[in-house]
């Protein structure tokens, strides 16, 4: 079995959930990068400069936020890395991690719910030309549905672990 680096007192399911989060955000980012590169993944091949910057920035921000989930199972989620200004080497207050993570999970739930109920069908029709493009778009964006529950579950495990640690 593959060894995934995490704190020893973190439940295995939480470690797997935390490491899955960056993977569920990756396909949509790769789809955006493919579109910016002019690959035939959508009706609009490529994007103008401003749209390309927005697409790449969204991809980097999404992946960065997803990677933060690893802090809930790794040592740097308990003690801030020394290289961080002001807080480096200090213990991370439990609620300083839990509150933003749970708010993030709630916002993700709300955005995904709103999007799925009001925008998804129309967007797929506007963005894609062919059935293959439609399938690719759905395959690349569907994993995002798992982000909020994975984040919430990992955050809950972090809270329980830290609350019981004293």
């Amino acid at each position: 079995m593959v060894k995934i680096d995490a704190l020893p007192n973190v439940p295995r399911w939480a470690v797997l959930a935390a490491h899955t989060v960056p993977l569920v955000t990756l396909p949509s980012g790769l789809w955006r990068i493919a579109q910016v590169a002019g690959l035939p993944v959508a009706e609009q091949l490529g994007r103008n400069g401003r749209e390309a910057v927005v697409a790449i920035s969204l991809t980097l921000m999404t992946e960065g936020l997803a990677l933060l989930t690893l802090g809930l199972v790794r040592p740097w989620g308990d003690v801030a890395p020394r290289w961080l200004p002001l807080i480096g080497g200090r213990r991370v207050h439990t609620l300083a991690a839990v509150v933003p993570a749970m708010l993030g999970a709630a916002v993700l739930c709300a955005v995904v719910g709103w999007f799925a109920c009001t925008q998804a069908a129309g967007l797929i029709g506007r963005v894609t030309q062919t059935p293959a493009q439609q399938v690719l778009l759905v395959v690349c964006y569907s994993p995002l549905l798992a982000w909020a529950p994975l984040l919430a579950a990992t955050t809950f495990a972090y809270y329980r672990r830290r609350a019981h640690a004293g």
Side-chain angles (χ1 to χ4, degrees), residues 9-83:
N9 55 344
V10 176
R12 179 131 177 92
W13 67 263
V15 174
L16 292 172
H19 283 80
T20 301
V21 169
L23 298 176
V24 301
T25 61
L26 190 59
S28 60
L30 293 175
W31 185 91
R32 284 188 296 275
I33 290 169
Q35 188 185 22
V36 166
L39 297 176
V41 296
E43 181 177 6
Q44 174 190 5
L45 299 179
R47 296 180 177 205
N48 67 35
R50 183 181 157 277
E51 291 172 333
V53 167
V54 168
I56 299 298
S57 297
L58 178 61
T59 298
L60 291 173
M61 182 182 71
T62 300
E63 207 57 38
L65 289 170
L67 287 167
L68 283 175
T69 307
L70 296 175
L72 299 171
V73 299
R74 304 288 301 264
W76 51 271
D78 287 359
V79 177
R82 292 208 175 276
W83 56 265

Side-chain angles (χ1 to χ4, degrees), residues 60-142:
L60 291 173
M61 182 182 71
T62 300
E63 207 57 38
L65 289 170
L67 287 167
L68 283 175
T69 307
L70 296 175
L72 299 171
V73 299
R74 304 288 301 264
W76 51 271
D78 287 359
V79 177
R82 292 208 175 276
W83 56 265
L84 285 174
L86 304 175
I87 65 167
R90 293 185 184 184
R91 185 163 174 78
V92 175
H93 294 285
T94 303
L95 292 181
V98 170
V99 170
M102 281 307 219
L103 286 173
V107 167
L108 284 168
C109 252
V111 167
V112 166
W114 168 81
F115 183 81
C117 292
T118 65
Q119 304 294 310
L123 180 70
I124 291 169
R126 284 191 314 273
V127 171
T128 59
Q129 278 182 302
T130 67
Q133 288 176 339
Q134 291 174 351
V135 168
L136 182 63
L137 181 69
V138 169
V139 165
C140 287
Y141 275 84
S142 292

